[in-house]
Amino acid sequence: MDILPQLILNSLIAGSIYAILALGFNLIFSTVNFFDLSYGAVAVIGAYAVFYFSKLLGWPLFVAVPLGVLISGTIGFLLYTSVYRRLRMRRSSNTVLLVASLGVLTALQALLAIFFSSQFQTLSATSSGERLFSLFSGSITETQVIILLTAVAVLLGLAFVLKLTLFGKAVKAVGDDEEVAKIVGINTDKIIGKVFFIGSAIAGLAAILVGFDTGIEPIMGLPLLLKGVIASIVGGIGNVYGGVAGAFLLGFVENFGIWKISGEWKDAIAFAVLILFLVFRPQGIFKK
Amino acid sequence: MPIIETKHLYKHFDGVRAVDHLSVAFEKGQITSVVGPNGSGKSTLVNLLTGMIPVDGGEIVVAGSVRFTKIKSHEVKDYGITRTFQDVRLFEQMPVLDNVLVVLTERGVFASLFEKHSPYHLEKAEEVLRRVGLWGKRHELALGLSYGQRKLLEIARVLATDADTILLDEPFAGLFPEMLKVVVDICKELKVKGKTLILIEHNMDLIRELSDHIYVLDAGKLLAEGKPQSVLARRDVIEAYLGE
Amino acid sequence: MEDNKPKILSWVILLAVIIVGGFFFARTAKAPEVAGPISLGVILPLTGDGAVYGEPALNVYQLAVDEINKSGGVGGRDLVLVVEDGKCNGKDGANAAQKLVNVDKVQIIIGGICSSESLAAVPIAEAGKVALFSPGASSPDLTGRSPYFFRDYPSDASQGRVLAELAYKKGWRTVAFIQESLDYPLGIFKAFDARFSELGGKTVKEEFPTGASDFRSSIAKLQSQKPDALFVDTQAPAASVRIAKQVKELKWNPPLLVADIVVGDPKTVSENKALFEGAFGAEFGVDPNNPKFQHLLESYKQKYNAELPYQAYGQTEYDALYLVKEGIAAVGLDGQKLAAWSRTIKDWDGASGQVTIEATGDRASGHVLKIVKDGKTELYTE
Amino acid sequence: MPYVIHLLIMVSIYSILALSLNLVVGFTGLVFVAAAAFFGIGAYVTAIVMTSFGFNFFLACIVGALFSALIAFAIGAVLSKFRGDYYTLASVGFNIIIYSVFLNWQTVTRGPLGIPGIPRPSIFGLSFSDNFSFLILASLLVILVFLACRFIEQSSFGRVLRAIREDEKAVSVFGYEVLYFKLATFVVAAAFSAFAGSLYASYITFIDPSTFFVNESIFILAVVILGGLASNRGAVLGAAVLVLLPEALRFVGFPPDIAAQMRQVVYGLLLVILMMYRPQGLMGEYKL
């Protein structure tokens, strides 16, 4: 059997998830310029919200999924107003913000484990019987097709908002220089709040898709975050579209790494890519 | 004899020529000023001379013989060069005294590990801190100082190094008259001691008073040079300054 | 020196923490009592990945203790459990053992469920002359480790061996392994691989780190090597389900071999009928006709309103309490004597069949073959 | 009493870890999240040379420290290129890579099986097999490391480190080769952490990779930040508080399954609150 088509498909699927994660992460980073580690936990909360509504309460998915996305966005927004805004107003260093967001990540993951137990759960209705599609000699499930399409949709949607709306221009202005943006009359606080909401909602969407594809557990926040961060840095931190390129690069390297090396080194490979990029091309594939 | 010379020195940021094939020379024992409007490349020049940013083209010649296109910032001291910073870079969360002691002690990794500051170091620190009137604040953290005091501390740090060539990046900006006088006096004393001073400044009165020679930069290029009185009277210089 | 004040204050706080802590611990420490309830130490994972085994285990222990106490306890004294979370890792296993041995002064500890907990607890139990009795740790490393350690669950060596022999008999010559990087799955692989290569077969293996959720490329890689069967070898059933699902999604239908944690969990098997149909496993002797085992299943259902999961472990956990009861009745509450007594257990009738403890502390006898049929695990006979 | 001794031994081990991490985080100002990697290297090297080659503990300890220093030198050379948040992320990467090596290099480390049966120290017929004598040994090591850290702190070297923490570029203009200072500190800190690893391995007598993952590094970082940045006493205080706190929770009677997660919640919130109200920690002199 030729393994290549399947590997390419797997890389594309993984890359799409990473791309969605990187889009949200990069959007937040390019505006506030600090590494928001709680991003991973915020994402998982959205997936657990869907789990709660659809699996425990039995609500239909077309209600549960948007609700989950909204909840992720809201939590992200609330974290900004309760923690990060205060720290930024105090002119805390990026490191302080990083450590604080690390604390938020740790606490939220543990809270999820208390409420939903640390066990693995899946969002999809049945463990089998999903529709399968064949492409060349590889196969892909319905969920995975949705993942690919969602990644494209999020990318196009975000590009539209950032390029063509007033809000998008304001976001860019804040990211370039917050002080100047303030001076020209932009309500920077409001803009950043919205950015946190949108970025976190995108994160939630990514985690929900992962939940349908493979499953969720409270501690997946850290790996999700790290993949998003690696993709963003490799692609070009602060460059919203660069992250997408980084995500697919990461997806391909990981999956082909499994082929040529071995599966247990997957995480190590991902970080080796990150470190190589930081050393030899710190600005990423695309500069901001 | 020039202590530092640049030959076709070149530096660009994202295609913008910050320093554009600049050839200037700084004479030993003199005060040379570099003036020009904001963004004319003055600070970039100082940063190039002290290895803070890499050179893109041309070369720097020190003491007439040492030529280099690449210098690492930690090697600058070996050429007897030191500097202050436009944005006043102190060691904020360290006491005032430590801010000075750190430029006095051993530079080597092992040597410094087995050394504590000696009475000699302390004496030297006391001397320079008293000179700028900060000895009384030696135990306070640098970040607690007023803007003027911060600038004075930076000057004290430079004095402590005993370097022969001192680059002062806007040393007078934002100082109250009494502090201004201290800094001006120090500049004069340094000249008497035979030190070479390179001054980046906007205060034209002080430049006239202090400088032996001035360079006027505009958009990274040399616009004019010569004695302060004659150069500063030139129409093109005034225009460049007033802009548009 | 005005700036010394906060420093002195902090030193005082530190000292206070140590003194108060010490006092607190010293006060809680108590000498072994001769009357009143008998404390039995318990180490099992209550948090983390291993919690899925720890929670039902605690239920079984409690069930057995209630039964024993209802029927008069041991010599008129009730049994009580002192439970510590070993988290299925060495560090917390050691912490838990330290507390049980030194603070609670128990004479016997039932645990750990995981091999890592047990391995770390052994030297502590030995130093404190406390017997350590594991109903779940299956690592071959524990065989003969200490005179104070014994177990009524057999070593993994036997599970891997039985399955390797089955695979060879089936005519399979290459078996692919997808294995989680943890001690228990690795133990099974090693035993399987040793026996299978001895017979003349070959294994190919892909490992994955705990917490991984996307196995597609590993599976595709194994598939491309054209093995005769696939062994899904994970620490907990959830990961096995994920892998089996992805195998199906890649349109691959190899004969499956699974670990005892899958065939031993009726819930996993029935909920994922389609995934595991026809899968082989080797479970350690669950005999549905054993009256004691039937009694355990019924009482568990009655008490907790759920099917007993991981029945292979449930039976040994249940037996462990009764064995401890007999041991204390026979030689008294003394760790050293209990450990020595354990070696004399021979053909003791329990829920898990006839228990014999060898001189190495291991349980004699091993695993039997099982097959998943129509959402249920059945005994496999050729 | 033996339980108190056990806890004090754990406090000692974490004190050494915190003291050495404090050199990097508190004095040099680099938020390093891979302390567990060097802890692990020390533990693994000690365990391997003691069980496989029959080395004496003290010799094994030194071999572990040398090995750890050697690896720190290589990693430090790469890490020193990064600053701020990138340094932090890259250090997470190294932790995961080293963890992967513990887990996957099974011919040497036995992978997930761990290494059991590590002997207790003994020298000149003097055995440290009972916990009280082990505590004395551990305390001696704490004092040794403490004195070494204080020696570094009070030397000119220590002052340079603090200056590097404040403004790396400015220090270098005054003639310091910053890279060497950072590297030297890093190597020393790694060697000290390895001592803690040796003690741990020999004390617990069993090690497996799970102890040396990123979450352990975050825990050690929390110890340093809580106790106080750039304060050696603070490091010891932080270790005492954070090691004893969860043990106290055992006695309070929290249900054990919630207690462990609650502990994570407490660590996380602690970090957030510290960052918001006391970014220098309890006894620290330096704010991130």
Side-chain angles (χ1 to χ4, degrees), chain B residues 5-241:
Chain B
E5 258 179 289
T6 69
K7 296 210 165 133
H8 306 289
L9 196 62
Y10 179 66
K11 177 75 193 174
H12 69 93
F13 296 112
D14 288 334
V16 180
R17 295 169 173 191
V19 168
D20 195 358
H21 297 94
L22 190 67
S23 299
V24 292
F26 301 97
E27 287 296 319
K28 191 171 165 58
Q30 288 197 347
I31 298 180
T32 310
S33 294
V34 180
V35 301
N38 282 329
S40 59
K42 306 178 304 264
S43 283
T44 307
L45 175 64
V46 177
N47 285 339
L48 288 170
L49 292 177
T50 50
M52 305 275 291
I53 49 177
V55 172
D56 287 340
E59 58 178 11
I60 297 169
V61 185
V62 175
S65 59
V66 193
R67 294 159 169 266
F68 50 84
T69 51
K70 260 188 201 156
I71 183 167
K72 292 193 179 117
S73 51
H74 65 92
E75 291 165 354
V76 163
K77 181 211 163 238
D78 301 337
Y79 297 112
I81 302 171
T82 193
R83 66 170 295 181
T84 66
F85 298 88
Q86 187 183 354
D87 49 351
V88 195
R89 293 169 78 160
L90 296 174
F91 306 122
E92 304 286 351
Q93 298 192 46
M94 286 167 70
V96 168
L97 182 61
D98 277 346
N99 265 273
V100 176
L101 284 176
V102 81
V103 305
L104 290 168
T105 49
E106 283 289 346
R107 299 303 201 269
V109 169
F110 289 102
S112 70
L113 188 57
F114 298 101
E115 179 211 51
K116 289 187 185 181
H117 62 266
S118 63
Y120 165 76
H121 293 141
L122 210 57
E123 225 169 78
K124 181 80 186 170
E126 178 171 358
E127 179 196 323
V128 298
L129 282 175
R130 281 196 192 284
R131 181 68 192 83
V132 298
L134 286 175
W135 179 243
K137 293 195 176 279
R138 62 187 177 280
H139 294 308
E140 289 182 20
L141 293 187
L143 57 87
L145 299 179
S146 73
Y147 182 72
Q149 289 168 334
R150 293 165 61 79
K151 290 213 127 177
L152 289 175
L153 179 53
E154 229 189 3
I155 302 274
R157 198 167 65 180
V158 158
L159 288 180
T161 60
D162 252 339
D164 290 322
T165 309
I166 303 167
L167 289 81
L168 299 172
D169 199 347
E170 304 201 8
F172 309 126
L175 288 185
F176 290 117
E178 63 269 31
M179 288 182 177
L180 198 64
K181 186 170 179 311
V182 174
V183 182
V184 171
D185 287 349
I186 288 174
C187 288
K188 288 177 179 165
E189 280 166 31
L190 285 171
K191 191 186 171 188
V192 172
K193 281 187 191 160
K195 308 272 184 191
T196 310
L197 259 64
I198 299 171
L199 218 57
I200 309 279
E201 243 320 305
H202 286 298
N203 187 326
M204 292 304 150
D205 295 337
L206 286 172
I207 286 171
R208 267 192 206 95
E209 181 186 339
L210 291 170
S211 312
D212 299 301
H213 193 88
I214 76 172
Y215 290 105
V216 184
L217 299 191
D218 189 26
K221 286 196 171 73
L222 189 59
L223 184 70
E225 67 164 310
K227 293 272 172 235
Q229 281 79 1
S230 55
V231 170
L232 290 178
R234 276 171 55 172
R235 169 150 306 202
D236 53 344
V237 171
I238 295 165
E239 268 172 9
Y241 244 97

Side-chain angles (χ1 to χ4, degrees), chain A:
Chain A
M1 188 203 97
D2 191 11
I3 186 175
L4 215 57
Q6 190 62 50
L7 275 182
I8 293 173
L9 273 180
N10 295 349
S11 308
L12 286 175
I13 297 160
S16 301
I17 291 283
Y18 300 160
I20 303 175
L21 286 167
L23 279 170
F25 182 82
N26 238 336
L27 176 67
I28 296 179
F29 182 89
S30 66
T31 326
V32 292
N33 281 308
F34 78 89
F35 284 111
D36 174 18
L37 302 189
S38 61
Y39 184 78
V42 170
V44 185
I45 289 177
Y48 267 95
V50 174
F51 172 73
Y52 180 75
F53 294 132
S54 78
K55 284 266 168 162
L56 300 183
L57 299 186
W59 294 5
L61 285 180
F62 67 86
V63 182
V65 170
L67 215 53
V69 174
L70 277 181
I71 285 177
S72 270
T74 312
I75 300 271
F77 176 76
L78 290 179
L79 282 175
Y80 167 66
T81 49
S82 59
V83 181
Y84 307 131
R85 179 165 66 191
R86 292 185 192 194
L87 286 170
R88 278 165 60 83
M89 267 161 44
R90 250 173 256 171
R91 309 225 159 264
S92 299
S93 66
N94 281 354
T95 312
V96 166
L97 282 154
L98 180 104
V99 174
S101 68
L102 182 68
V104 174
L105 173 76
T106 313
L108 285 183
Q109 285 195 5
L111 281 174
L112 277 177
I114 290 176
F115 289 127
F116 294 99
S117 92
S118 44
Q119 304 205 12
F120 172 84
Q121 317 275 8
T122 172
L123 293 182
S124 52
T126 51
S127 58
S128 53
E130 224 185 316
R131 277 174 65 192
L132 287 176
F133 302 96
S134 278
L135 214 62
F136 303 105
S137 64
S139 74
I140 182 167
T141 66
E142 204 170 354
T143 310
Q144 292 160 355
V145 174
I146 295 174
I147 289 174
L148 288 173
L149 296 177
T150 311
V152 176
V154 173
L155 173 64
L156 292 180
L158 202 60
F160 171 77
V161 170
L162 290 180
K163 274 263 178 330
L164 299 175
T165 65
L166 213 56
F167 170 71
K169 287 183 177 120
V171 168
K172 192 172 179 324
V174 175
D176 286 347
D177 194 323
E178 207 176 324
E179 292 309 312
V180 171
K182 237 179 232 166
I183 291 164
V184 300
I186 295 172
N187 185 342
T188 54
D189 184 49
K190 211 167 160 185
I191 297 288
I192 295 175
K194 282 183 185 166
V195 163
F196 263 90
F197 180 85
I198 298 173
S200 304
I202 293 174
L205 185 61
I208 292 167
L209 289 170
V210 172
F212 279 106
D213 186 26
T214 58
I216 52 173
E217 52 194 341
I219 51 162
M220 75 196 264
L222 186 68
L224 283 183
L225 162 85
L226 291 175
K227 294 294 158 63
V229 174
I230 296 174
S232 300
I233 293 179
V234 167
I237 188 84
N239 179 319
V240 173
Y241 315 109
V244 176
F248 283 103
L249 178 74
L250 184 62
F252 273 88
V253 169
E254 272 189 0
N255 284 290
F256 279 77
I258 290 176
W259 184 30
K260 284 295 173 200
I261 305 171
S262 188
E264 66 261 32
W265 293 100
K266 195 171 170 184
D267 292 340
I269 291 170
F271 274 97
V273 169
L274 171 74
I275 290 166
L276 285 177
F277 259 85
L278 282 177
V279 172
F280 295 108
R281 200 174 163 81
Q283 72 272 37
I285 303 172
F286 297 106
K287 257 192 190 172
K288 184 178 179 179

Side-chain angles (χ1 to χ4, degrees), chain C residues 122-123 125-126 130 142-150 339 343 359-361:
Chain C
V122 164
E126 189 172 330
V130 169
L142 282 161
T143 306
R145 180 141 290 275
S146 160
Y148 285 87
F149 178 79
F150 56 105
R343 269 53 175 183
T360 53

Side-chain angles (χ1 to χ4, degrees), chain A residues 29 34-35 82-83 86-87 90 93-96 98-100 102-104 106-107 110-111 113-114 118 226 229 233 237 264-265 267-268 271-272 274-275 278-279, chain D residues 31 78 81-82 84-86 88-90 92-94 96-97 100-101 104-105 213-214 218 221 225 258 261-262 264-265 267-269 271-272 275-277 279 288:
Chain A
F29 182 89
F34 78 89
F35 284 111
S82 59
V83 181
R86 292 185 192 194
L87 286 170
R90 250 173 256 171
S93 66
N94 281 354
T95 312
V96 166
L98 180 104
V99 174
L102 182 68
V104 174
T106 313
L111 281 174
I114 290 176
S118 44
L226 291 175
V229 174
I233 293 179
I237 188 84
E264 66 261 32
W265 293 100
D267 292 340
F271 274 97
L274 171 74
I275 290 166
L278 282 177
V279 172
Chain D
V31 181
V78 177
K81 288 178 185 286
F82 311 139
D85 301 342
Y86 293 92
T88 306
L89 274 179
V92 172
F94 277 116
I96 286 178
I97 291 171
S100 296
V101 173
N104 299 327
W105 195 16
F213 193 57
V214 180
I218 294 175
L221 182 69
I225 294 178
I258 297 202
Q261 300 295 352
M262 275 313 286
Q264 293 295 317
V265 176
Y267 293 155
L269 289 182
L271 282 181
V272 177
M275 285 304 103
M276 291 182 86
Y277 301 104
L288 277 173

